[in-house]
Amino acid sequence: MAAHNELGVWGERIAEAYLRRKGYVIVERDWHSGHRDIDIIAMDGMTMVFVEVKTRRNRMFTDPEMAVDYRKIRNLRLSANHYVKFKRLDFDLRFDVVTVVGTPDGPTPEIDHIEDAF
């Protein structure tokens, strides 16, 4: 696996552990709808939350949340729509972004959680 993919998988594990500590119930990880994916699907009380995780080694070039652009938002919404219809669910829905800045061998990573990001 390429180094950037390993960093992304590590970031998703960090984000999942963070959300569990906040009381979220993880429903799915890395759910695919064709070529689109949703990093984490979780329940926050009675709200289903679709979480995009962005991991970066540092903030040298830009903040990780800036990578969630119009195209990514559109793909997340399409994937979430497919998931809800496929599972025949009826919950309030929300889209969050969790950013992780750091590396597996570095100090404790910085985690930012943007609820209701879009």
Side-chain angles (χ1 to χ4, degrees):
M1 183 181 298
H4 71 277
N5 289 338
E6 290 176 9
L7 184 69
V9 170
W10 171 78
E12 287 179 17
R13 284 196 309 263
I14 296 295
E16 177 183 2
Y18 168 84
L19 292 169
R20 285 185 193 278
R21 284 192 305 274
K22 286 187 71 174
Y24 288 59
V25 175
I26 305 303
V27 177
E28 305 263 3
R29 281 253 338 255
D30 200 27
W31 189 82
H32 287 270
S33 170
H35 67 277
R36 299 178 182 105
D37 74 312
I38 301 172
D39 295 330
I40 298 173
I41 302 171
M43 293 299 296
D44 179 19
M46 293 303 293
T47 301
M48 178 159 281
V49 185
F50 298 93
V51 182
E52 175 66 14
V53 179
K54 287 297 176 193
T55 307
R56 298 291 184 267
R57 293 182 188 286
N58 56 52
R59 296 180 186 273
M60 188 177 300
F61 298 108
T62 186
D63 290 325
E65 59 269 18
M66 298 306 293
V68 184
D69 59 10
Y70 169 78
R71 191 173 122 236
K72 185 62 168 172
I73 291 169
R74 185 189 73 220
N75 285 336
L76 283 167
R77 286 184 173 155
L78 289 169
S79 297
N81 184 53
H82 180 223
Y83 184 83
V84 168
K85 287 181 178 180
F86 178 72
K87 300 283 187 170
R88 298 177 188 219
L89 301 173
D90 185 23
F91 294 107
D92 288 336
L93 306 177
R94 190 175 81 215
F95 293 89
D96 290 4
V97 174
V98 174
T99 64
V100 179
V101 178
T103 59
D105 56 347
T108 304
E110 296 174 40
I111 302 169
D112 288 319
H113 182 189
I114 305 165
E115 292 185 16
D116 204 15
F118 49 89

